[in-house]
Amino acid sequence: MIELNSVTKQYGSLAAVDNVSFSVKAGEYFALLGPNGAGKTTIVKMLLDFTQPTAGSLSVNGLPSTNVSSRTAVGYLAENYHISPHLSGWQYLQRCAELLDISRSEAADQCRRIVELVGMQGREHTKTSTYSKGMIQRFGLGAALIGNPKLLILDEPTSGLDPIGIREIRQLLESLKNQGMTIFLNSHLLSEVEKICDNAAIIDRGRLLVKDKISTLVKDGDTLEDVFVKFVKG
Amino acid sequence: MPKAFSSIIKIAKYTFTDEVRQRSFIVMFVICVTLVFLMRGCYHGNYTVNGQDLDAGAIVGSVSRATFHVIAVGVMLLTALFSMRVFRRDRDEGTQSSIFSKPITRWQYVIGKVLGLWVLSAFFMFILHAIIFLTVSITLKVVMPGYLIASLLCSFDLLFVVIAVLFFSLMMPDIAAFLCIMGIGIISFVADGIFAISHSPMAQAMMQQQGSQQDWTAWRVVYYLWPKLSGTQHFASSFIGSEGFSGFVYIYPLINILIYGLIFSALLFWRFRNEDII
């Protein structure tokens, strides 16, 4: 589903991503972990062709990431999500559906279902300028789910959510995984990742430190946090 | 409708509606409409030139042409103001990342933005010109169909302004992009003015006396090669009143501005293709 081959991204003399290779199979729930500035978001941006790699290649859905068709059936939630403040959550979801060429009636059905799924019933018709960060994040996740994507790329999906919101989103992602969706997650919340992900990769300063099954990484009574600190601190 | 075209239309529609919903746009629109309504008083004055009173027909023609130019220049400035912040706002509000995470190409997005802004500014100018047209038609019973054709032709200036400002705004702060297009406009108007003066009998006589032909040559180069915002406006205004279409030589400013529009479009696509989406 996702493949990175010797990918490097250079910003001047700084290597934000340095010769990284890994793959994510269909139906996998994959977490990309790393401290701030490790290069996680840069990898996501390269997957979506928001920025081009300096060297190496990436493919999504079997197509080079530079091919616009690779983003068909991909849902994306950005870190620090924003929505135009003059739109309501409903209008925003409708726009996302319209851009995917979903018919009007089908779009209305999907939007209704998604509003329920992200727990925003009753607030969908108010302007997003009145929403909290957590509410915007929920609508962002809802927008990523429009069009029933096969691959979901989430950059810090629980950012700004309270503990109850985090739990709800986790349950939602688990149910999506059970439906066969591939999920690529960037997150700092290691306890959440440990609970729900199958595989994880840890990167630091642009370099891939390890990629394995969570069950293999975490053993002997350690937590994922212990493993993370061990790898990052060297 | 092909998918590529349908995506462009959607992005253009969002650009149009997002801009119209901005409070600054609404305020500007109300101010402009009010000012244009106030201009109707100019048609009822008594004008004297060289001691002779102008007849009603001459007043209508001259005042209409003057208001046409004032509106066109004003809308050009407003178009630059609206366009300069479009990419930044889309970046800040997450619109770009939302659009590009879907199977939509960068050129579709850029064309959609240009189209949306162009239609919006042309519509804005057309409404203001239409107010003058209706005022003259209703109160003075003089119908000038060429006035509305001139407005549509003048919208090619707005297309150039939109493309150029969007390009500049990718390379410099918004206000600098605005000032750049202002500079291009001012030089265009000054070059046209100097060219017109250099062709006046008085200037011709002075040049022959002082042998200063070379000074005008530099301006002549600027006159022909610089983006002809002013020239296109004058070409469009030739459709007002009885002048009508004056031959293909007069189309040069329009061709000039279309060529510059194409050059800036190519630069805009090239620059935006290499732009990182945040």
Side-chain angles (χ1 to χ4, degrees):
Chain A
M1 199 99 197
I2 289 178
E3 203 159 325
L4 281 82
N5 289 314
S6 312
V7 172
T8 297
K9 176 69 186 180
Q10 204 86 27
Y11 288 107
S13 59
L14 176 83
V17 178
D18 190 0
N19 198 26
V20 169
S21 300
F22 64 81
S23 61
V24 178
K25 291 189 182 74
E28 212 173 289
Y29 199 147
F30 179 87
L32 186 60
L33 310 173
N36 289 332
K40 305 186 299 289
T41 300
T42 307
I43 288 178
V44 166
K45 284 182 177 169
M46 286 190 285
L47 283 172
L48 294 161
D49 197 30
F50 288 4
T51 184
Q52 281 83 41
T54 313
S57 63
L58 303 95
S59 73
V60 178
N61 288 325
L63 294 166
S65 61
T66 46
N67 185 331
V68 72
S69 304
S70 71
R71 299 196 291 277
T72 312
V74 173
Y76 168 62
L77 172 66
E79 188 184 8
N80 299 320
Y81 206 77
H82 295 283
I83 302 178
S84 305
H86 62 269
L87 294 175
S88 69
W90 181 265
Q91 286 170 327
Y92 180 67
L93 293 178
Q94 289 272 354
R95 269 193 184 188
C96 291
E98 208 178 334
L99 283 170
L100 287 170
D101 279 333
I102 298 171
S103 70
R104 208 171 273 246
S105 60
E106 169 65 16
D109 283 349
Q110 278 201 30
C111 292
R112 245 189 307 276
R113 187 174 53 79
I114 281 166
V115 165
E116 243 174 71
L117 207 61
V118 296
M120 290 301 296
Q121 309 99 301
R123 291 303 304 272
E124 69 269 37
H125 294 296
T126 49
K127 285 197 173 180
T128 54
S129 55
T130 64
Y131 291 179
S132 68
K133 194 168 181 280
M135 289 159 79
I136 292 202
Q137 201 72 4
R138 281 166 189 257
F139 269 107
L141 182 58
L145 293 172
I146 294 272
N148 303 316
K150 290 194 185 96
L151 169 66
L152 211 50
I153 298 176
L154 309 173
D155 200 354
E156 301 289 353
T158 49
S159 161
L161 293 180
D162 56 28
I164 296 168
I166 292 174
R167 192 175 168 174
E168 284 172 3
I169 295 293
R170 191 215 312 147
Q171 286 166 349
L172 170 63
L173 294 179
E174 272 177 325
S175 75
L176 293 171
K177 190 207 161 197
N178 292 335
Q179 289 165 30
M181 197 179 281
T182 311
I183 299 172
F184 183 99
L185 175 75
N186 264 2
S187 183
H188 283 300
L189 288 175
L190 301 176
S191 56
E192 291 299 315
V193 169
E194 195 175 345
K195 278 178 197 158
I196 52 175
C197 291
D198 307 317
N199 297 304
I202 300 176
I203 62 165
D204 187 26
R205 277 170 271 181
R207 291 206 180 132
L208 181 68
L209 303 178
V210 65
K211 189 221 168 213
D212 217 327
K213 287 187 174 158
I214 299 268
S215 55
T216 313
L217 287 171
V218 181
K219 52 192 172 191
D220 304 332
D222 277 356
T223 61
L224 185 60
E225 192 177 304
D226 298 328
V227 176
F228 179 80
V229 171
K230 194 179 87 189
F231 274 103
V232 173
K233 293 274 181 188
Chain B
M1 198 181 341
K3 197 191 167 314
F5 189 64
S6 124
S7 298
I8 291 170
I9 297 295
K10 280 171 203 160
I11 292 166
K13 188 180 84 179
Y14 300 151
T15 307
F16 187 98
T17 51
D18 287 352
E19 204 60 51
V20 167
R21 281 176 181 166
Q22 298 290 322
R23 197 168 297 152
S24 55
F25 179 89
I26 297 166
V27 169
M28 280 295 175
F29 186 72
V30 171
I31 291 172
C32 288
V33 169
T34 311
L35 287 176
V36 169
F37 267 117
L38 291 176
M39 278 182 183
R40 73 187 195 283
C42 300
Y43 289 97
H44 302 294
N46 292 318
Y47 297 85
T48 308
V49 176
N50 291 336
Q52 287 192 322
D53 284 344
L54 287 182
D55 64 275
I59 291 172
V60 169
S62 306
V63 173
S64 298
R65 210 163 282 130
T67 52
F68 176 84
H69 287 296
V70 169
I71 290 169
V73 170
V75 175
M76 223 187 291
L77 287 176
L78 291 177
T79 302
L81 282 172
F82 297 141
S83 306
M84 72 181 192
R85 61 190 181 178
V86 163
F87 281 150
R88 183 175 47 81
R89 199 174 52 220
D90 272 10
R91 242 189 332 258
D92 294 348
E93 291 181 354
T95 310
Q96 281 185 354
S97 62
S98 170
I99 287 176
F100 291 123
S101 66
K102 294 170 179 60
I104 289 168
T105 58
R106 295 191 182 208
W107 68 266
Q108 285 172 326
Y109 169 79
V110 170
I111 294 177
K113 284 282 150 194
V114 169
L115 194 62
L117 287 167
W118 182 36
V119 170
L120 176 74
S121 48
F123 186 63
F124 192 126
M125 186 167 71
F126 191 81
I127 289 178
L128 298 182
H129 281 148
I131 292 171
I132 295 290
F133 170 78
L134 290 173
T135 305
V136 173
S137 305
I138 294 165
T139 61
L140 303 171
K141 311 281 181 223
V142 179
V143 181
M144 298 183 293
Y147 204 82
L148 299 180
I149 295 167
S151 179
L152 293 176
L153 280 172
C154 205
S155 71
F156 286 106
D157 266 357
L158 303 179
L159 176 63
F160 168 78
V161 169
V162 167
I163 295 168
V165 172
L166 287 179
F167 169 66
F168 289 136
S169 72
L170 288 175
M171 301 197 302
M172 54 185 84
D174 298 346
I175 192 69
F178 172 74
L179 291 175
C180 271
I181 201 69
M182 280 259 294
I184 290 175
I186 289 169
I187 292 174
S188 167
F189 279 84
V190 169
D192 277 12
I194 290 178
F195 188 79
I197 291 168
S198 74
H199 278 65
S200 68
M202 198 169 76
Q204 298 273 354
M206 279 169 67
M207 277 192 297
Q208 275 171 358
Q209 269 183 359
Q210 296 171 6
S212 56
Q213 186 76 29
Q214 206 135 14
D215 296 341
W216 297 111
T217 311
W219 276 108
R220 208 163 281 162
V221 171
V222 174
Y223 173 80
Y224 282 113
L225 296 183
W226 198 258
K228 297 203 68 63
L229 289 166
S230 157
T232 304
Q233 210 170 293
H234 279 284
F235 164 69
S237 72
S238 70
F239 283 77
I240 301 170
S242 54
E243 254 180 68
F245 181 66
S246 324
F248 282 99
V249 164
Y250 296 93
I251 287 186
Y252 172 70
L254 186 62
I255 293 168
N256 168 295
I257 215 71
L258 288 175
I259 289 171
Y260 269 106
L262 284 174
I263 292 169
F264 274 92
S265 298
L267 290 170
L268 176 61
F269 287 128
W270 165 77
R271 187 69 180 79
F272 196 78
R273 202 186 57 182
N274 299 318
E275 193 79 357
D276 278 1
I277 306 301
I278 299 166

